[in-house]
Amino acid sequence: MPVVSGSGLPHDDGRRDSLHHRERLRRKITEQLRGRIGEEDIIAAGPEKRIRVPVKGTRHWRFILDRDLEKGVGQGEAGPGDVIGPPGGRAAPGDAGLQPGEELYEVWLDMDEVEEMLFSELRLPRLKPKQAADTQAQHVLFDDIARHGPQVDKKATLRENLARNAREGRVHLGGIEKPDLRYLSYREAPIPRHKAVIFLAMDVSGSMEADRKRMARLFFYWCVQFLRRRYEQTETVFIAHTTDAREVVEEEFFSRTESGGTRVSSAFEEIERIQRERYPAEDWNVYVLHVSDGDNFTADNARTLQLVERMTRFCALVGYLEVDPYRRGAPWGRGSYKLSGFYAERAADLDGFVFACAEEDRDLWPALKRLFAADEVEAALR
Amino acid sequence: MSSYTVADLREVEQRCQQIAATELGLHTQEIVFHLVAPEEVYFAAANGLPARYSSARWGAQFESEYGRYRAGQGRIYELIFNTRPVHAYLMEGNSLVAQTLVIAHCLGHAHVFEENRWLGGVDRQIMPRVLSAADRIAEYMGAHGRDRVEDFLDAAHAIAVHQPQAQLLRRAPAGEPEYRPRRYDELFEAEVAAERERLREERRQMRRRFPREPARDLLGFIEANARGLEDWQRDVMSIVRSEQGYFLPQMRTKILNEGAAVIAHQEICQRLFLAAGQYWEYEQLNASVVAPRHGEVNPYSLGGELIREIMRIAADADDEDRERWSWAGEVDPWLRVREVLRDYDDAALLREFLTPRVCERCRLYAFERSARDPRLIRVSSREADEIREVLVRRHASLQIPVIEVVDADFRGRGELLLAHRHDGVGLDSEYARGTLVEIATLWGKACTVRTIAGADPDREVWFTGHPDGRSELLDEHGSPDANAAM
């Protein structure tokens, strides 16, 4: 029969493959974004803007001749000397999004999407239940498996069947019986209480040069963006310190430079005072983030550590980033005169305290990951 | 729209077959036409063959093409596979006139599949291999993770086209240079001794080199010689290589093939529809199939005009034609067309029959990249000679740069050295670097290619890609040990 209906071959797999394609695209975009969080233009784009992300990883590489010298043949009425739009009948004039032939080269993303992609790997640190609200804030998660229920979990059932068959000496699926059946089930999970206050403390002494401040700004930006997405309400408090600390407004925070030395404890004392007065720990998730170049008065280190320890008792997280773009100290090293060295020696195991160093922009993502790491139990489960 | 049945289509197919056989003299054979949903047509078109292994690569293609179809921006009418028997897809929802055009069109393709010498090497029993490869790759994805296999597939696809193509003449391996004694050798003892010594030295050099002769089958070479590859990786490489081998001869005869198909549907449909009052619908469809394209060439339009030109020369030659072709004006047009369809590939077809008349009818122009903005093109000429030169060059090379493996122990560190046998233009640097990184992931060590910068044959440049994703450009001065290696 020379004309037949249907092909008898699998035919609805196009959608499956295109989903795989999207997943891959997404993964590669995320990879590239991570390398770019140190770039200021992402932040400069602002929350409503869209940013352009080159997706090099998705191109289908092959050897071709120098594109600029390419000669070709086309069809139409144009005469010698006429300059006309890009080749390829489909591309609209001026559409630079498509490279010769086929592949998507750049995509535009909303800041929203960018953040979702990046933040999907970050976790909130240990949460302490907050008084007022938790009784009502329950969240139903369908991620459990039970032996009874209305809706069969096919995957779990097949797994169970496979395991039972294996136990009984058969290495295949099939013969599903009642004991194999597994059902979807749910559990109630508390939603993190909705309010967070973020104390951003920065060293504004003369040694914090423009480059270091820029990194501090990037770091604060991403931390605050991340926390904003996880809480319904966030407040930020900016604390500038040299040997003294005081609360400032955001613009001043990044622009001012003062002479003088550095006494980190002054900032932490100020934070404790403000927190006590305005943000009672029963109602607020408290975050303290501190950035400096690590040149603290050695005599102040003990006092600083004492305050850090005290803060971890009521804070969800105390974080410290040492920006040292010119590799002046030897961060991490024991006995280093830098603050990070001191912390490494004395506070490495302090629960609720995380510190990291960044020499260049590309160290910012690892630093963020250190701060907002999936906790160990969760990591082990994944 | 689809007020017809499968039985109606069978009847159409019978009538088309009959016209093709008796009036056009085409080699008719059984074609199995499948009436399938648009989604399946686009899925198979994205894959190149039905039931091929699952890959994000096809997914990207499917998404963009099927998306365009659903947005009303394009339409595939027909899809045909060079297998034995030939299988073709008819898209559900097309009108009976459209289906008739497609059926007639496919008869032209089937003739070329069967008769053309360049297609003689195509494995027309490829489907069992395709199905088995799909199973194996699914298995590897299960065992090693989809992403890992997809990454490896991408790397293999990057160089899959670099294999000896459908060549009627195969190059014999060169063997070692030996001295061939000549008649008056005893008169030139010193010279002969020197020559023997030179050849001995050349043999020694050759034995030290690996590969002894430059290898043009990149995937085959790497599959056979890379260290540290797992079995599944070698298998993936051989799948990609062999499936690409199926497509290459068809890429070589694309214009010829479409030309035959266009002429077949035009001739058959004219005979069928002139009487039936459906001519207007047919004519509109035909016009959209052969519509000219901006910045590229529609193979249907060019192929059809080339075949028409051959028929014209055979039947209605002027003096100039007679001077050029001994058979001009004196041969049955269909006989001559069938000979061309049997013996020519695209490059030969264009070289001989891309006359000023064809250029004019297809409104062809040659273009270059605009110096101001390389995304734009600048029309350089409407002269047939220039257009022909560009087109023949593109179709003779299939736009695949000639790349050879010249040293598999480059820098004495087991790196791979490739050479670009250029034709006056060097490799695109961005694409070269991206491709080299892919090759390096296959080979397991750094991989370098030697080419020239732009169109300057005296400026040699070297690109290197590393398995970790880094890549670099070295100009002729930047790589002292690299020069020593060649």
Side-chain angles (χ1 to χ4, degrees), chain A residues 281-357:
Chain A
E282 304 85 66
D283 295 335
W284 292 85
N285 292 287
V286 184
Y287 291 84
V288 173
L289 302 170
H290 175 228
V291 176
S292 110
D293 57 8
D295 295 327
N296 198 25
F297 276 142
T298 319
D300 185 52
N301 282 354
R303 170 76 181 143
T304 302
L305 181 61
Q306 195 189 352
L307 284 162
V308 168
E309 274 167 355
R310 221 155 71 193
M311 287 192 298
T312 56
R313 284 179 218 146
F314 61 82
C315 286
L317 176 76
V318 180
Y320 168 60
L321 179 76
E322 192 160 291
V323 285
D324 184 23
Y326 304 115
R327 285 176 177 274
R328 283 201 195 140
W332 306 105
R334 276 170 186 269
S336 149
Y337 62 91
K338 290 270 185 180
L339 196 51
S340 56
F342 174 73
Y343 282 147
E345 213 163 285
R346 304 281 298 276
D349 299 324
L350 182 56
D351 196 22
F353 174 65
V354 184
F355 62 100
C357 288

Side-chain angles (χ1 to χ4, degrees), chain A residues 75-97:
Chain A
Q75 291 175 284
E77 304 306 321
D82 291 356
V83 172
I84 45 187
R90 289 170 203 161
D95 176 10

Side-chain angles (χ1 to χ4, degrees), chain A residues 2 7 15 59 70 77-78, chain B residues 39-40 363 369 382 430:
Chain A
S7 69
R15 279 179 230 184
R59 265 206 263 180
E70 187 195 354
E77 304 306 321
Chain B
E39 187 177 336
E40 183 169 358
R363 310 298 301 142
R369 297 275 153 187
R382 297 193 76 102
E430 190 190 3

Side-chain angles (χ1 to χ4, degrees), chain A residues 38-230:
Chain A
E39 288 173 27
E40 212 147 3
D41 65 327
I42 292 202
I43 296 177
E48 284 93 45
K49 296 279 179 49
R50 294 161 70 72
I51 61 161
R52 202 170 62 165
V53 188
V55 200
K56 288 211 181 115
T58 59
R59 265 206 263 180
H60 292 160
W61 297 114
R62 61 200 187 276
F63 285 119
I64 58 172
L65 297 181
D66 196 324
R67 273 171 290 168
D68 295 344
L69 300 169
E70 187 195 354
K71 289 181 186 169
V73 173
Q75 291 175 284
E77 304 306 321
D82 291 356
V83 172
I84 45 187
R90 289 170 203 161
D95 176 10
L98 292 171
Q99 280 292 312
E102 68 264 35
E103 303 123 26
L104 196 59
Y105 180 36
E106 284 169 333
V107 292
W108 288 86
L109 291 174
D110 288 327
M111 246 352 242
D112 242 23
E113 295 174 81
V114 171
E115 287 173 4
E116 249 333 294
M117 285 182 181
L118 288 171
F119 295 160
S120 63
E121 278 186 35
L122 303 182
R123 294 285 175 279
L124 284 180
R126 50 178 198 149
L127 291 167
K128 294 170 183 167
K130 298 295 166 221
Q131 216 179 30
D134 287 281
T135 45
Q136 32 183 306
Q138 291 289 335
H139 186 59
V140 178
L141 284 176
F142 274 88
D143 65 350
D144 222 348
I145 294 162
R147 282 171 178 268
H148 305 280
Q151 196 181 345
V152 174
D153 181 330
K154 288 184 206 146
K155 207 168 171 183
T157 301
L158 288 175
R159 206 183 297 133
E160 201 51 43
N161 171 260
L162 199 60
R164 188 174 58 84
N165 284 345
R167 281 196 299 275
E168 294 165 12
R170 300 188 299 270
V171 278
H172 58 77
L173 272 173
I176 294 177
E177 285 169 30
K178 198 134 196 204
D180 298 332
L181 291 179
R182 289 294 179 276
Y183 297 87
L184 282 176
S185 180
Y186 62 87
R187 64 190 166 99
E188 291 184 341
I191 299 181
R193 192 40 204 163
H194 310 108
K195 290 195 290 188
V197 58
I198 310 161
F199 288 97
L200 305 172
M202 184 170 67
D203 182 356
V204 292
S205 66
S207 59
M208 281 291 283
E209 291 141 3
D211 245 21
R212 300 177 176 193
K213 274 202 176 145
R214 196 180 61 80
M215 284 174 65
R217 184 167 163 239
L218 287 161
F219 175 71
F220 285 143
Y221 172 86
W222 289 108
C223 289
V224 170
Q225 283 308 109
F226 173 64
L227 291 171
R228 274 204 183 127
R229 284 188 160 264
R230 294 300 183 265

Side-chain angles (χ1 to χ4, degrees), chain A residues 2 4 6-7 15 17 24 27 59 62 64 66-67 70-72 74-78 81-82 84, chain B residues 10 33-35 39-40 54 147 151 154 293 298 301 363 365 367 369 377 379 382 394 426 428 430 435:
Chain A
V4 296
S7 69
R15 279 179 230 184
D17 286 353
R24 250 172 104 66
R27 185 173 60 85
R59 265 206 263 180
R62 61 200 187 276
I64 58 172
D66 196 324
R67 273 171 290 168
E70 187 195 354
K71 289 181 186 169
Q75 291 175 284
E77 304 306 321
D82 291 356
I84 45 187
Chain B
R10 282 185 192 145
F33 288 96
H34 303 267
L35 187 62
E39 187 177 336
E40 183 169 358
S54 160
D147 265 333
D151 285 345
D154 274 347
R293 295 183 190 171
N298 178 346
S301 131
R363 310 298 301 142
Y365 57 77
F367 68 78
R369 297 275 153 187
I377 56 177
V379 174
R382 297 193 76 102
R394 280 170 89 96
D428 185 89
E430 190 190 3
T435 311

Side-chain angles (χ1 to χ4, degrees), chain A residues 28-45:
Chain A
K28 295 205 164 170
I29 292 173
T30 313
E31 271 165 23
Q32 305 214 344
L33 280 173
R34 268 180 227 142
R36 289 192 63 193
I37 72 161
E39 288 173 27
E40 212 147 3
D41 65 327
I42 292 202
I43 296 177

